[in-house]
Every structure is written in structure tokens, then in C-alpha cells.
Amino acid sequence: MKKVKNIILSITALIALSSCSDSFVEENPPSEITPDGLLTTEAGAQVYLNGAYGAIQHTLASGGGGTNAAWQIHWGTIATDEVVVPGWAGDRKLMFLQQVTPSNNTVLDVWQELYEAVNIANSVIDRIGAMTEDQINNEAKEKMIAEAKFCRAAAYFGLVVPFENIPLHKNETVTVEDAILPQSSAAEVYEFIISDLKVASAVLPEEQGGAKATKGAAQALLGKVYLQMTGFPLNQTDKFALAEKEFEDVIRSGVYDLLDNYADVFKLDFEQSAEIVYAFPMDGPGQSEGGNLSTFYGPNGAVSNGGGWGTCYINQEFETSYDRDDLRLRNNVAVHNANDMTREEAVEVDPNDWGTNKVSWRGWKTHAEKPNAYANDTPFDNPYIRYSDVLLMYAEALNGQGKLTQIDIDQTVNRLRSRVRNIPSAVPDMVLGTQEQNAEEILSERRKELCFEGWRRNDLIRFGKYKETILAIDQGGWSTAGNPGPNYEDFEIRWPIPSSELEINPNLIQNEGY
């Protein structure tokens, strides 16, 4: 029973307000209120819905808020060519080295916390859906259910890519018997995700939602899901056309746009800007609702001065891949010590003067202030889908169909490059090539633009480049961790089903190779 509790609904978690709750409701209800007592009015339903947002808030993002899952870090970034880790980095070292086993605690955390998020969303959908017209009007009810379906789709997407064939819970789990389901195929899970996002996009408003799900967020995520289906393991290339339509609708909506300054996207003053299609809201310090984005990827130096923990460093080949006068380089890579200079001073240092001693260089996308009191509770919202991501995915969808043109490239890839030139001759425009050449350029641009936002591993898998990328990582021997290539086997493109879950549920079958 103790192991099963992570699958069964936690009422406390359901009615706990997420960090964005202040903008959703005026009062916090007593934590002992039952669902039946809460779900009698629209205001109570809104509080219940906030539990679904709270369940994915830190779990899918870069951590914080008491979670160990941090999907964007552990699945999306660690075992890729964006970063390397030191030899003492625990589970993260094992992930980097392709030595994950079914008993890995972080993998278990991701599985359990995402399934808890699914169940919370299921409870919201089922219970708000059962409310009567005298308790909530139909328009408000449909909107809340659509928001919960967005949350459920995001959670299932976070599960199906790493684990592939997984149990598909479509309703609230309230008993142990409800929890013991067989695995559904990846195709079945994807179709369920698609159905949720179609409902959400048809109902939700067309606006920048300020941390709430919107039509554009649902369409962008749906397009991303379609794109992932074009690669391993489904290889459904017919989905390129479906993805194209979703991204085209987002672009034509006029709701979203690029900010003029790349660095501004990741500042507190712009954290829900027109460039953000959806971001996980964080609120700190001191409220246990902050994230780990700036501290996990922060530079050398004290955290109180804007530094990071030192458990993650830059892959040196990744840093070298940037044009020296690409402004993303000096915003995404930290070579300085936060004790020695402010972030404003650090970004003014010419990368040509950085030197060659790269062993201590770290990521640096969300620039914490100096001094600060963030500790492990930083207030920066974690981007999930940005408009720049939509532009790049649109170009990918067109290229997958062999219909990408130079005009399309100029309006997508080259538009991104135009805003990051420190000098006019920097970051040359992409020129239309063969379908394979175009794909290579788009994938490379995604790494430079979206690094540390948690999509690199999905991208490499989708483009069919994961194995060759892992085998090519060479961190120069500076760390005792070593390189992942000697350990890698083809089955490690996915994660194992956690061994404790196999013990709980006899219907589960372990992924091949584990």
C-alpha cells in the first residue's frame, strides 16, 4: 500500500494552490476541505483546477517546490550534448553516462510524480465535469476541463517519450485495483494526448494566458506532439502536415511575437511576455514555489551573488558551436565568477577574450541578481514552449514534407538569427539546401536557441541523431565522470520502467534491454 499511495489521489495535493494561484482566486481555502465540500461553486472549482497546474508546475519544469522529478533537467538535458557533469553528481552522473537502471531513484520520481499529475488532472476532469448547472455555468466548466486536459496531455507527453509503452489512466484512480492497468502502446497514448489537446484548443481563449493554458498553448503542444510522432518509435511522417497546420495557426493568431532582445526573454520583468506561449510559473523566494533554473545552471560563485550549485557544466563542443558574436553565447554560457562581477558586466565580456580554460564554464540563461536571497527557490518562470520554438518547429514541419522554401527560412530560422547578431556579419543566414542539410541546420539552431529548456533529448530522438550524438561526446577528461559513449547501447534511447512499479503492477513489462 505504501508504494501505491503515489498513484492514488492526494486530496491535500489537489487543493494546494500553485504559485500562480494569486492571480486565479482571492482566498486560500482551509487545507482540510474535502473535494465534495469544495466543488459546490465556480470559485471552489477554480481552486480544484489549480491543483492540476500545481502538479505539473515543478515536475515537468526544472524542479523546486519539493519535487525530485525536474523533467526538463533529468530527461531533457542531462543525457545530451548540452552539458556534462562531475564525477560526484549522483543520479545525474548515471544519466549522463547512460548507466540508468530500473532502480534509479530519479527515474522513479519522474514516473511517480507525473502519474500523480495525471491522476490529479483526471480528478479535476471527472469531478468538475460532474458539477451541476446550479453550481457552475457550462462555459466555465468546459473551460476548466479544457485546462485540466492540457495539464494531463503535458504530463502524458512527459511519460510516453521516456518510457514508451505505459498504463493509460483515463479517469481518477481511487482504489488499488484502479491503479493496476496493463500498458498501452505508445501510439495509443499519443492518440489520447491528441484528443485532449484538440478539446483544449477548441475551447480555450486565444490569448497569452499568464501561466494559464490557452488555445495557442494547446495548439503549440499539439504540434510538438505531432512532430515527435514523426520520429522514433512511431516514425509516422504523415504527422508533419498536421504539425504544420497547428504551428501555422499559432503564428497567424497574432498573439505571440519575438522580443527584440534575446536576453530579455529570461528576465523577471518579461517572464510572461508575448514570446511565452506557455511557461511554468514560479514564485520565490521564501514561498516554496520557486524553481531551480538559475541555480542549477548558474555560474561559479555564491548562489547569493547569482551563482549556481556546480553540479552541471557546459559541454565544450556546444560552446564552440556558437558564432563568437552570437549574443546567445554570452547569455547562455557563463565563464565568469558571480562573486567578481554583475550579470551586466559579465555579458559585456567579449567571448574572443574568454580564453581556453573551459573546465569550469557553466550554463547561464536565467541571470540571477547580485545579491539575492533566492537560495534554491528562484522566482524565474520556466519556459515550456516559446514562440521561437514554434517558428523552428514550423520550419521543421515544412522541411519534413519537402516543402520548405527560402522565404519560410527567412521568416523562421533567419528571423531568430537576426536578433542575436552582435555585429552585422555575425551568425550568417541559413540558406535553403537539401532536405537533410535543412534538418541539420534546424536541429543545430534549436540547440543554440532552446538550450537548457528541456527539449534537446526529444529533438535528438526525433531527428534520429541521439545515438551518434551520445557517441561523439568527449568532455576532454577534465572530470572523473568520463564519457557516455562507451556505455551506450541502442535500448538506452528510452528509460526503464522503475523496478518498484513492476513489483506493484504485475501487468507491466520491462522495456527491452533493461
Side-chain angles (χ1 to χ4, degrees):
M1 288 294 294
K2 183 177 180 181
K3 293 177 181 177
V4 178
K5 72 182 178 66
N6 291 292
I7 304 175
I8 299 178
L9 180 64
S10 164
I11 296 301
T12 302
L14 275 174
I15 64 175
L17 299 182
S18 69
S19 67
C20 51
S21 61
D22 289 345
S23 63
F24 293 174
V25 294
E26 296 299 324
E27 297 180 356
N28 295 342
S31 61
E32 65 270 13
I33 287 179
T34 65
D36 288 340
L38 190 65
L39 295 175
T40 58
T41 65
E42 183 177 326
Q46 181 65 70
V47 173
Y48 209 64
L49 169 63
N50 290 344
Y53 281 110
I56 63 170
Q57 176 190 6
H58 298 94
T59 306
L60 282 175
S62 296
T67 181
N68 294 315
W71 185 94
Q72 287 184 333
I73 289 175
H74 294 124
W75 171 258
T77 305
I78 288 296
T80 74
D81 57 349
E82 291 182 351
V83 299
V84 296
V85 299
W88 41 267
D91 273 6
R92 290 167 185 156
K93 181 189 77 170
L94 298 177
M95 290 173 172
F96 172 71
L97 290 179
Q98 302 290 326
Q99 294 177 341
V100 169
T101 68
S103 60
N104 185 286
N105 287 327
T106 302
V107 171
L108 175 62
D109 289 334
V110 172
W111 174 284
Q112 289 185 334
E113 291 184 33
L114 283 176
Y115 265 113
E116 183 173 353
V118 165
N119 201 45
I120 290 173
N122 281 340
S123 180
V124 171
I125 293 164
D126 292 350
R127 293 180 184 242
I128 292 181
M131 292 176 70
T132 60
E133 287 188 47
D134 62 319
Q135 295 172 322
I136 185 172
N137 70 65
N138 284 333
E139 183 179 355
K141 179 164 75 172
E142 286 184 7
K143 182 175 180 293
M144 290 183 192
I145 290 172
E147 290 178 67
K149 287 190 172 185
F150 172 86
C151 295
R152 181 169 68 181
Y156 266 131
F157 190 42
L159 283 162
V160 71
V161 181
F163 298 107
E164 198 170 323
N165 301 320
I166 59 174
L168 184 57
H169 294 267
K170 299 180 180 181
N171 298 100
E172 180 181 0
T173 299
V174 294
T175 69
V176 174
E177 289 72 24
D178 293 340
I180 309 303
L181 291 182
Q183 288 153 290
S184 295
S185 69
E188 291 172 315
V189 178
Y190 273 110
E191 288 305 318
F192 189 69
I193 294 170
I194 290 167
S195 66
D196 269 357
L197 292 173
K198 284 183 174 180
V199 170
S201 65
V203 172
L204 295 176
E206 195 169 61
E207 61 186 12
Q208 201 290 329
K212 296 187 74 173
T214 63
K215 182 181 184 69
Q219 289 178 312
L221 182 55
L222 178 54
K224 187 180 281 286
V225 168
Y226 281 140
L227 276 189
Q228 203 65 37
M229 295 173 74
T230 67
F232 176 87
L234 301 181
N235 300 308
Q236 295 178 358
T237 55
D238 63 302
K239 297 299 190 296
F240 280 120
L242 298 178
E244 175 197 350
K245 182 183 182 303
E246 299 303 324
F247 299 136
E248 189 173 73
D249 286 348
V250 175
I251 293 168
R252 289 182 175 178
S253 72
V255 173
Y256 309 100
D257 203 355
L258 299 179
L259 298 187
D260 292 337
N261 186 343
Y262 177 80
D264 284 346
V265 179
F266 312 101
K267 294 179 181 177
L268 285 173
D269 291 343
F270 297 91
E271 59 185 2
Q272 288 293 338
S273 69
E275 187 157 337
I276 300 300
V277 180
Y278 188 79
F280 299 108
M282 303 293 170
D283 193 5
Q287 301 180 53
S288 296
E289 289 293 352
N292 295 334
L293 194 59
S294 63
T295 41
F296 185 77
Y297 297 113
N300 289 298
V303 170
S304 60
N305 283 333
W309 299 335
T311 58
C312 183
Y313 295 81
I314 285 292
N315 180 311
Q316 295 178 19
E317 179 275 326
F318 170 50
E319 180 272 328
T320 305
S321 72
Y322 280 104
D323 187 301
R324 296 297 90 182
D325 283 298
D326 185 335
L327 291 174
R328 292 174 297 193
L329 172 58
R330 62 182 71 191
N331 278 283
N332 294 344
V333 177
V335 304
H336 70 293
N337 189 303
N339 297 330
D340 299 334
M341 64 181 72
T342 65
R343 62 183 178 86
E344 291 82 6
E345 292 169 336
V347 296
E348 291 301 318
V349 179
D350 188 336
N352 293 300
D353 298 329
W354 282 359
T356 58
N357 185 21
K358 302 180 180 183
V359 296
S360 63
W361 294 3
R362 302 185 193 169
W364 196 44
K365 201 163 195 175
T366 305
H367 300 177
E369 299 290 337
K370 173 186 178 180
N372 70 70
Y374 298 158
N376 301 336
D377 193 19
T378 61
F380 301 95
D381 288 0
N382 285 197
Y384 184 57
I385 302 178
R386 291 197 285 121
Y387 188 59
S388 57
D389 190 2
V390 171
L391 294 178
L392 291 172
M393 290 190 290
Y394 180 59
E396 179 186 342
L398 293 172
N399 188 61
Q401 301 170 77
K403 56 191 283 189
L404 184 69
T405 68
Q406 186 62 51
I407 293 175
D408 297 321
I409 292 171
D410 291 341
Q411 293 174 345
T412 56
V413 177
N414 289 340
R415 189 177 172 202
L416 297 180
R417 292 182 178 185
S418 69
R419 74 165 173 175
V420 296
R421 293 186 177 109
N422 190 45
I423 58 176
S425 61
V427 199
D429 279 347
M430 176 181 167
V431 177
L432 182 68
T434 66
Q435 197 170 9
E436 183 178 355
Q437 290 169 337
N438 297 336
E440 291 281 357
E441 281 284 294
I442 292 168
L443 181 60
S444 176
E445 192 69 14
R446 289 186 63 79
R447 180 166 68 151
K448 296 183 181 77
E449 176 73 23
L450 303 170
C451 62
F452 320 133
E453 294 178 39
W455 294 119
R456 182 61 174 170
R457 187 165 182 173
N458 275 21
D459 291 349
L460 290 170
I461 291 171
R462 182 173 73 253
F463 279 77
K465 299 291 184 181
Y466 189 65
K467 179 177 182 177
E468 68 180 71
T469 298
I470 296 304
L471 295 180
I473 293 174
D474 183 1
Q475 48 133 344
W478 68 266
S479 164
T480 55
N483 291 315
N487 307 303
Y488 184 76
E489 296 187 53
D490 288 343
F491 68 84
E492 291 173 304
I493 197 170
R494 64 175 76 82
W495 272 351
I497 306 296
S499 56
S500 59
E501 297 300 313
L502 293 170
E503 294 173 8
I504 294 168
N505 185 352
N507 293 314
L508 298 181
I509 300 172
Q510 183 59 275
N511 285 330
E512 184 180 353
Y514 291 103

